[in-house]
Amino acid sequence: MSITGNYDTDNIFAKIVRGDMPCVKVYEDEHTLAFMDVFPQSRGHMLVIHKREQARNLLDVSTDGLAQIMNSVQKLARAAEQALKPDGIIITQFNGAPAGQTVFHLHFHIIPKYEGDLKPHASGGMADMDALAATADLIKTEL
Ligand code: AMP
C-alpha cells in the first residue's frame, strides 16, 4: 500500500481499538493504546497507537494526535527500561509498504534491545500468549 491513500476502518489495529480483536494490553489512556506485538522482535516489543485518529501513517496524523502518541511512547519506553533492563531501546515507525509498513494504522514500535538478541522487522514467529501476558504485567508494574 502506498504512502498516500484512504484509511481502512477494518484494519487490524482499528479492530483492536473497537474490541473486535483481542490484544495483550499494556496501557490505555483517553487517547492512546499500547499492546504487545504478537510477532515480537525481542522480549517486551510493544506497539503504541492512537484510538481515534484515522491516520495510516505519520504524514496523516494531527500534531495533537502525534503528541499524544509520543507522550505514551515515552511513558512505555521508560516502563520497559525499568521492568526489563534492556541494553537499549529502539523506537521505529514505518510509512508505506515500500518502507516496511504492514498494518496501515499509524503505530510506533518500542523494541527493547538486548545484547546479541534482535530479530529483523516482520520476521518473527507468533509469541506464546502466556509469556506475552507475563511480560506485559511486568511492564505494567512500572507505569
Ligand atoms: P508494521 O510492519 O510497522 O506495520 O508493524 C506491524 C506490526 O504489527 C508487526 O510488528 C506485527 O508483528 C504486528 N502485529 C500484526 N498483527 C498484530 C496483532 N493482531 N496484535 C499485535 N501485533 C500485531
Side-chain angles (χ1 to χ4, degrees), residues 38-88:
V38 290
F39 300 99
Q41 286 178 252
S42 72
R43 179 167 178 255
H45 183 169
M46 292 177 275
L47 302 169
V48 183
I49 66 174
H50 204 284
K51 296 195 290 185
R52 290 183 314 281
E53 290 269 343
Q54 296 202 336
R56 294 180 320 134
N57 57 48
L58 189 77
L59 283 62
D60 299 339
V61 71
S62 73
T63 51
D64 282 350
L66 182 59
Q68 288 154 354
I69 298 172
M70 293 315 293
N71 188 52
S72 293
V73 167
Q74 185 189 50
K75 189 180 186 73
L76 272 298
R78 284 176 167 163
E81 195 278 324
Q82 289 293 308
L84 307 176
K85 303 290 181 212
D87 299 303

Side-chain angles (χ1 to χ4, degrees), residues 42 81 85-90 111-115:
S42 72
E81 195 278 324
K85 303 290 181 212
D87 299 303
I89 299 175
I90 302 166
I111 308 171
K113 172 78 174 74
Y114 311 90
E115 280 302 326

Side-chain angles (χ1 to χ4, degrees), residues 5-142:
N6 296 323
Y7 178 87
D8 173 9
T9 55
D10 273 335
N11 73 76
I12 296 170
F13 295 170
K15 289 181 180 173
I16 286 175
V17 170
R18 286 200 296 269
D20 293 344
M21 271 197 69
C23 72
V24 179
K25 190 197 298 186
V26 184
Y27 173 75
E28 182 171 15
D29 63 20
E30 186 188 349
H31 307 292
T32 66
L33 174 69
F35 52 94
M36 304 305 289
D37 195 306
V38 290
F39 300 99
Q41 286 178 252
S42 72
R43 179 167 178 255
H45 183 169
M46 292 177 275
L47 302 169
V48 183
I49 66 174
H50 204 284
K51 296 195 290 185
R52 290 183 314 281
E53 290 269 343
Q54 296 202 336
R56 294 180 320 134
N57 57 48
L58 189 77
L59 283 62
D60 299 339
V61 71
S62 73
T63 51
D64 282 350
L66 182 59
Q68 288 154 354
I69 298 172
M70 293 315 293
N71 188 52
S72 293
V73 167
Q74 185 189 50
K75 189 180 186 73
L76 272 298
R78 284 176 167 163
E81 195 278 324
Q82 289 293 308
L84 307 176
K85 303 290 181 212
D87 299 303
I89 299 175
I90 302 166
I91 309 292
T92 58
Q93 186 273 319
F94 302 92
N95 299 283
Q101 187 174 9
T102 58
V103 178
F104 298 93
H105 177 117
L106 173 63
H107 54 280
F108 285 78
H109 297 254
I110 300 175
I111 308 171
K113 172 78 174 74
Y114 311 90
E115 280 302 326
D117 176 27
L118 185 67
K119 295 179 188 134
H121 179 61
S123 71
M126 187 176 266
D128 175 85
M129 288 300 137
D130 290 340
L132 269 195
T135 304
D137 286 345
L138 266 183
I139 297 168
K140 283 185 220 169
T141 64
E142 300 294 341

